[in-house]
Amino acid sequence: AHHEKTPDSWLPFGKESAGTQSLFTLAVPVLSTLQTGGLLVVDELEASLHPRIARTIVVFPVPGFPVSTVTCSSSDPLIARR
């Protein structure tokens, strides 16, 4: 958690945790694939994301995007658990 005295304080992207940086970096291709359609393959999704975030990405239903597929590989057998 970031503890600052002013409500508009921010942390430079380079100082965010590796997991936060990975989440934002992954968001762009995921959202682009969902909007334009197609296939996105992510290898070892959980490698730098918190397991709960990785599971949310894997099991999150995306209604309205039937032509888009996001496929992830993982060595964590629990990642697809709801």
Side-chain angles (χ1 to χ4, degrees), residues 2 9-28 48-49:
H2 308 297
S9 59
W10 59 279
L11 191 64
F13 187 71
K15 294 200 175 206
E16 289 287 352
S17 69
T20 299
Q21 290 182 23
S22 293
L23 179 62
F24 279 98
T25 302
L26 185 62
V28 173
S48 58
L49 292 176

Side-chain angles (χ1 to χ4, degrees), residues 33 37-41 67-71:
T33 300
L39 171 67
L40 175 67
V41 178
V67 296
S68 301
T69 303
V70 177
T71 302

Side-chain angles (χ1 to χ4, degrees), residues 2 13 16-32 34 40 42-58 60 70 72 79:
H2 308 297
F13 187 71
E16 289 287 352
S17 69
T20 299
Q21 290 182 23
S22 293
L23 179 62
F24 279 98
T25 302
L26 185 62
V28 173
V30 168
L31 293 174
S32 176
L34 292 175
L40 175 67
V42 182
D43 187 31
E44 294 293 329
L45 178 66
E46 81 292 348
S48 58
L49 292 176
H50 188 280
R52 282 188 178 167
I53 294 172
R55 277 195 304 272
T56 300
I57 291 171
V58 169
F60 184 71
V70 177
C72 306
I79 198 164

